[in-house]
Amino acid sequence: MGKNSIGIVQEYQNPQPGNTSTFTVDDRTLREILTNDISRPKGYTVSYHANPEVEKMHFGPKHPMKPWRLTLTNKIVMAYGMHEAMDVYMARAATNQELTEFHKPEYIDFLQRVTPAERLAPDLGSGGYPYNMGDDCPIFDGLYSYCSLYAGASLDAARKLTAHQSDIAINWSGGLHHAKKSEASGFCYINDIVLAILQLLLYHPRVLYIDIDVHHGDGVEQAFWSTDRVMTLSFHKYEKAVYFPGTGSLDTTGPKSNSNPGAHHSLNVPLNDGIDDFSYTQLFKDIVGPCVRAYNPTAIVLQCGADSLGGDRLGCFNLNIRAHGACVAYTKTFGLPLLVLGGGGYTPRNVARLWAYETSVCIGTEVPASLPAHTPFITHFDPDRTLFPLLHLSGRYDNKNSKQYLEGIVQGIMEQLRYLQGSPSVQLQHVPPDLDLVREEVEREVREEREELEREKGRRRKERGAGGRGELR
């Protein structure tokens, strides 16, 4: 996520998808499910958290952030039938009280009442607008609803993990990592990641936060700067005073005093332009593995910003979709409760491809490279209509990350891990009752609906076995 370069970023010309986000199964999708053997994962549960109201929001005609990238994502997920392998939840909006668990009440009050028609007076000293509103973080119709909905989805996902109703919980509308306690930043207004981690900390002694957005996860790092109960690990492009947000150097590792619990718990992997698939995935494994072993987290939050893909309008890496997804796959191997979130990404068709693919990684299903012919808005993915375009061929950036430079980063991270004298010992206090756990009645309805769908799939399989191949085509 990052600075809005209006002079560089061109408006996406394809029309915005309509309000058609529903999770249903028709005959074409059912054929896709049967052909690709899409089924619920064995031994673990994946939940998918979304609300179509988020997709309707509009930052403005020239703004790079396009919430309807979520519509495209959901349509691919549904076209493959992947939603049949997950528990799908309609997220509800976070309450004012939940938002102020991190953000200052006066900032939340401002977001609730401000409207596009309101003329904001710039600060006489800095010249900036209140709470850092402006071109990057505009005021638009439905702003508070947008913020509370994507934050509510992350909170709901975190609660499914803590209630052991999910092992992996996905919210592609979340991951807005730049927002601070009392100001917006880098297209982010509410820091849903911080709110979700706070929820996890009610039950988990240690949470590892991993960020693979092309921009530094500064808001999350800042929020947990002085605690050893959260380790933040950010992989990002770093060029101080040039590339937003200009933070996240290798030697930024937390408070300088070793007496502060947060010392050595903020880790940063600063990268140069053009890193490729092999270098990135190897670096990710070389660093994340030792971090997990040294810190011993009991839950992981993974921010999957898609602006680290090659060809992104605000990015500068050369990653392909499979390489980005390999980071999700590797994180999944630790078998810890995992919250998977979205983030940046400003070429909507590629954002959708990536997050749909990473959904398949979460449920352990291999889907065909060719997008299903019945995928809504499939012309957005012309001319190849594939899930895996060759993004590294965009040719925009040479790889400026030498082998020696990357080895130096790994060595620097290993030095910081040596300071950890075992994982922190935390005595969990009384956990307040979670008022948002799904009521038994709702859970019963979900189970009944799932069982009915399983019976329908069984009936279709029998029909396919009894007839010729062409009968279901």
Side-chain angles (χ1 to χ4, degrees):
M1 325 198 65
K3 282 290 192 187
N4 181 355
S5 303
I6 298 299
I8 298 174
V9 179
Q10 295 181 355
E11 174 64 358
Y12 191 50
Q13 297 300 318
N14 285 349
Q16 179 171 339
N19 176 28
T20 58
S21 293
T22 55
F23 289 85
T24 58
V25 179
D26 59 16
D27 286 342
R28 294 171 300 179
T29 302
L30 189 56
R31 284 199 299 271
E32 202 73 34
I33 293 169
L34 296 172
T35 301
N36 301 318
D37 196 26
I38 291 176
S39 58
R40 297 179 68 82
K42 300 295 189 293
Y44 67 98
T45 300
V46 180
S47 60
Y48 194 88
H49 304 262
N51 190 312
E53 293 301 311
V54 178
E55 304 163 21
K56 299 177 184 178
M57 302 303 173
H58 195 248
F59 278 59
K62 294 188 179 297
H63 200 288
M65 176 61 95
K66 308 294 185 186
W68 52 263
R69 61 194 182 151
L70 299 166
T71 300
L72 296 178
T73 302
N74 291 334
K75 291 306 182 185
I76 297 177
V77 168
M78 290 187 287
Y80 279 116
M82 286 188 274
H83 55 296
E84 281 292 280
M86 303 181 285
D87 293 335
V88 179
Y89 294 94
M90 177 79 77
R92 55 93 185 157
T95 65
N96 187 294
Q97 181 178 357
E98 288 171 326
L99 297 177
T100 54
E101 287 294 317
F102 171 62
H103 294 283
K104 288 190 174 181
E106 56 268 29
Y107 175 52
I108 299 303
D109 291 343
F110 170 81
L111 292 177
Q112 275 188 294
R113 62 176 170 76
V114 72
T115 67
E118 186 174 340
R119 284 183 169 273
L120 298 179
D123 181 81
L124 295 179
S126 66
Y129 289 95
Y131 303 107
N132 202 32
M133 297 292 167
D135 290 341
D136 275 6
C137 300
I139 296 167
F140 55 85
D141 286 326
L143 173 59
Y144 181 76
S145 176
Y146 168 71
C147 296
S148 58
L149 283 170
Y150 76 70
S154 291
L155 282 168
D156 186 42
R159 285 169 176 148
K160 293 297 180 292
L161 295 174
T162 58
H164 307 293
Q165 293 174 306
S166 298
D167 299 290
I168 300 175
I170 303 169
N171 171 29
W172 295 127
S173 70
L176 302 184
H177 57 177
H178 293 309
K180 310 302 192 297
K181 193 175 186 70
S182 58
E183 69 174 35
S185 178
F187 315 160
C188 307
Y189 302 85
I190 293 294
N191 200 314
D192 64 289
I193 306 170
V194 172
L195 294 172
I197 291 175
L198 290 173
Q199 183 67 34
L200 292 173
L201 290 174
L202 293 174
Y203 298 83
H204 290 278
R206 294 172 301 283
V207 175
L208 173 62
Y209 170 70
I210 306 172
D211 191 315
I212 55 175
D213 194 290
V214 77
H215 299 95
H216 178 226
D218 58 334
V220 184
E221 178 184 89
Q222 186 181 109
F224 298 109
W225 185 254
S226 295
T227 181
D228 58 0
R229 290 193 61 194
V230 178
M231 173 178 280
T232 60
L233 173 60
S234 179
F235 296 75
H236 53 268
K237 154 76 175 181
Y238 175 72
E239 193 171 0
K240 189 175 182 179
V242 175
Y243 197 78
F244 182 84
T247 53
S249 62
L250 182 62
D251 60 1
T252 301
T253 59
K256 296 299 182 184
S257 172
N258 285 330
S259 63
N260 189 307
H264 314 293
H265 284 77
S266 297
L267 304 181
N268 287 292
V269 181
L271 299 170
N272 298 317
D273 290 349
I275 192 165
D276 59 26
D277 291 353
F278 176 79
S279 299
Y280 193 91
T281 54
Q282 188 61 53
L283 183 70
F284 186 86
K285 293 175 182 178
D286 288 346
I287 290 176
V288 171
C291 284
V292 171
R293 290 188 288 273
Y295 184 59
N296 192 26
T298 54
I300 297 177
V301 177
L302 178 60
Q303 196 265 23
C304 301
D307 48 7
S308 44
L309 290 176
D312 187 84
R313 295 177 181 191
L314 298 185
C316 54
F317 290 169
N318 290 328
L319 300 184
N320 285 294
I321 285 169
R322 282 194 175 94
H324 200 285
C327 297
V328 178
Y330 182 70
T331 305
K332 181 183 167 187
T333 63
F334 296 105
L336 296 169
L338 177 60
L339 175 58
V340 179
L341 302 172
Y346 308 102
T347 304
R349 59 187 177 273
N350 292 337
V351 176
R353 286 167 161 137
L354 175 70
W355 290 347
Y357 173 62
E358 291 180 339
T359 300
S360 76
V361 170
C362 288
I363 63 174
T365 295
E366 290 190 22
V367 293
S370 296
L371 293 172
H374 63 276
T375 304
F377 316 114
I378 196 167
T379 56
H380 285 260
F381 306 98
D382 284 342
D384 47 33
R385 300 190 178 186
T386 178
L387 195 61
F388 305 112
L390 300 178
L391 301 179
H392 67 287
L393 297 180
S394 63
R396 291 171 59 189
Y397 297 97
D398 294 330
N399 188 355
K400 298 180 181 179
N401 299 273
S402 68
K403 182 180 179 182
Q404 292 75 17
Y405 177 73
L406 297 178
E407 288 174 348
I409 290 177
V410 173
Q411 182 179 354
I413 296 294
M414 297 306 109
E415 288 293 330
Q416 293 305 313
L417 293 180
R418 290 192 183 97
Y419 284 97
L420 301 184
Q421 301 299 320
S423 55
S425 161
V426 177
Q427 181 178 356
L428 292 179
Q429 304 299 317
H430 171 69
V431 177
D434 192 338
L435 301 179
D436 192 51
L437 293 179
V438 178
R439 294 182 177 87
E440 291 184 5
E441 179 67 19
V442 176
E443 288 298 322
R444 182 181 61 78
E445 292 176 0
V446 170
R447 285 196 300 272
E448 290 177 353
E449 183 177 350
R450 187 187 305 155
E451 290 168 359
E452 177 61 30
L453 289 172
E454 288 296 328
R455 285 194 292 270
E456 176 66 14
K457 285 196 290 185
R459 184 179 66 80
R460 293 300 183 100
R461 287 192 179 98
K462 289 180 180 178
E463 290 178 355
R464 185 175 62 169
R469 285 174 58 90
E471 288 188 15
L472 288 178
R473 295 186 181 276

